[in-house]
Amino acid sequence: MVTARPVQSQSGKETARYAEMFAALGSAARLSVLRALLRAHPGGMVVGEIQGEVGVAGSTLSHHLEKLRVEELITVERESTFLRYRANTVVLEELLGFLLAECCQGSRAVEAKGLIQICQE
Amino acid sequence: MVTARPVQSQSGKETARYAEMFAALGSAARLSVLRALLRAHPGGMVVGEIQGEVGVAGSTLSHHLEKLRVEELITVERESTFLRYRANTVVLEELLGFLLAECCQGSRAVEAKGLIQICQE
DNA sequence: TCTGTATTTCTATTATTTTAGAAGTATGGT
DNA sequence: ACCATACTTCTAAAATAATAGAAATACAGA
């Protein structure tokens, strides 16, 4: 018996993918991890350093890092005993691009002027 | 007896607020609602129209709309028997501004060039 | 006032997420 | 081989979110 594979539109897959990314940013703990990694970019931070910023049990932090990593918002690299995490700027740019396009293209719901200035400060 | 109010840093409050907003975007159903409202901007859509886009039970949709509304990503207005929802472009711009600032300011993790172009297309 | 349409709230169930202690794995130094 | 440090996975509990049928509310029109 062949189980029917649920078909999904292109925009449906796209939406689902970005929704997952937003969900990854949708916890104060994870968002503050990402903020810290962005400030520390491109050097990144090892877990101990990150833990200092977030103040949560090690095992909990590990789960949060895993979620961010699965969504490819961050990368890991072993450095002897340490694990060094970094913001994944390629994917972040993709996410920003998606949100900008949705808001500023087509019906131009959001005015781009002020946003562009933020980048140039 | 006066219960101590838990103190939180400014950046902590900011992080928490934006995390909630990202969480609101962190479901495929809600993100597709917002995309539809952005496409339909500034006209907005009534619930029945939105339901056509998302394909979910009315009561479920109502909860999703409530979450988006509480986070101020959308607004509602009654129009006789209908409720017309619209993307809240002010708050969306705030959210975009936050993400852009985090990514493109300071360590300049993300290059602004390509993003600016998206707005100008 | 009665009826129909639009939408929300109530109620309940199931699924996912968050949390963290305890135990395990990885690595480097002695 | 052993130890210490860094971090993850295991296990489990509690909290939150998602889902939707059924009942309730809001409004307009006859």
Side-chain angles (χ1 to χ4, degrees):
Chain A
M1 173 203 179
V2 179
T3 313
R5 178 168 51 87
V7 179
Q8 208 177 12
S9 70
Q10 173 55 42
S11 118
K13 266 192 293 190
E14 206 186 30
T15 300
R17 168 89 205 288
Y18 288 113
E20 292 257 293
M21 284 178 164
F22 284 127
L25 300 182
S27 112
R30 286 191 299 266
L31 187 55
S32 72
V33 166
L34 189 71
R35 292 184 84 174
L37 290 179
L38 281 167
R39 279 196 304 273
H41 199 78
M45 295 168 84
V46 300
V47 177
E49 291 172 334
I50 298 171
Q51 191 161 13
E53 293 268 344
V54 186
V56 71
S59 58
T60 302
L61 177 57
S62 193
H63 288 307
H64 285 311
L65 290 170
E66 165 76 0
K67 173 114 183 177
L68 287 167
R69 197 186 56 72
V70 165
E71 297 308 330
E72 301 184 274
L73 294 168
I74 63 177
T75 63
V76 217
E77 198 178 354
R78 184 168 278 280
E79 208 167 79
S80 81
T81 339
F82 304 85
L83 288 175
R84 180 166 296 273
Y85 283 89
R86 286 189 176 82
N88 185 348
T89 58
V90 174
V91 172
L92 281 167
E93 184 166 344
E94 216 182 297
L95 182 62
L96 258 168
F98 166 79
L99 198 54
L100 272 174
E102 290 298 315
C103 291
C104 302
Q105 285 180 349
S107 65
R108 301 196 174 266
V110 171
E111 178 61 54
K113 282 254 168 64
L115 294 175
I116 289 174
Q117 238 171 345
I118 287 172
C119 306
Q120 291 168 336
E121 264 162 29
Chain B
M1 172 202 182
V2 179
T3 313
R5 178 169 48 89
V7 179
Q8 205 177 13
S9 71
Q10 174 53 43
S11 120
K13 267 192 294 189
E14 206 186 30
T15 300
R17 167 90 205 287
Y18 287 114
E20 292 258 292
M21 284 178 165
F22 284 128
L25 300 181
S27 112
R30 286 192 298 265
L31 186 55
S32 73
V33 166
L34 189 71
R35 291 184 84 174
L37 291 179
L38 281 167
R39 278 196 306 274
H41 199 79
M45 296 167 83
V46 300
V47 176
E49 291 170 336
I50 297 172
Q51 190 161 14
E53 294 269 343
V54 186
V56 70
S59 58
T60 302
L61 177 58
S62 192
H63 288 306
H64 285 310
L65 290 170
E66 164 76 0
K67 172 113 182 177
L68 287 167
R69 196 186 56 73
V70 164
E71 298 307 329
E72 301 183 276
L73 294 168
I74 63 177
T75 62
V76 217
E77 199 178 354
R78 184 168 279 281
E79 206 166 79
S80 81
T81 338
F82 304 87
L83 288 175
R84 180 165 298 271
Y85 284 88
R86 286 189 176 84
N88 184 347
T89 57
V90 174
V91 171
L92 281 167
E93 184 167 344
E94 215 183 296
L95 182 61
L96 257 168
F98 167 79
L99 198 53
L100 272 173
E102 290 299 313
C103 291
C104 302
Q105 285 180 348
S107 65
R108 301 198 175 265
V110 170
E111 177 61 53
K113 282 256 167 64
L115 294 175
I116 290 173
Q117 238 172 345
I118 287 171
C119 306
Q120 291 168 337
E121 265 161 29

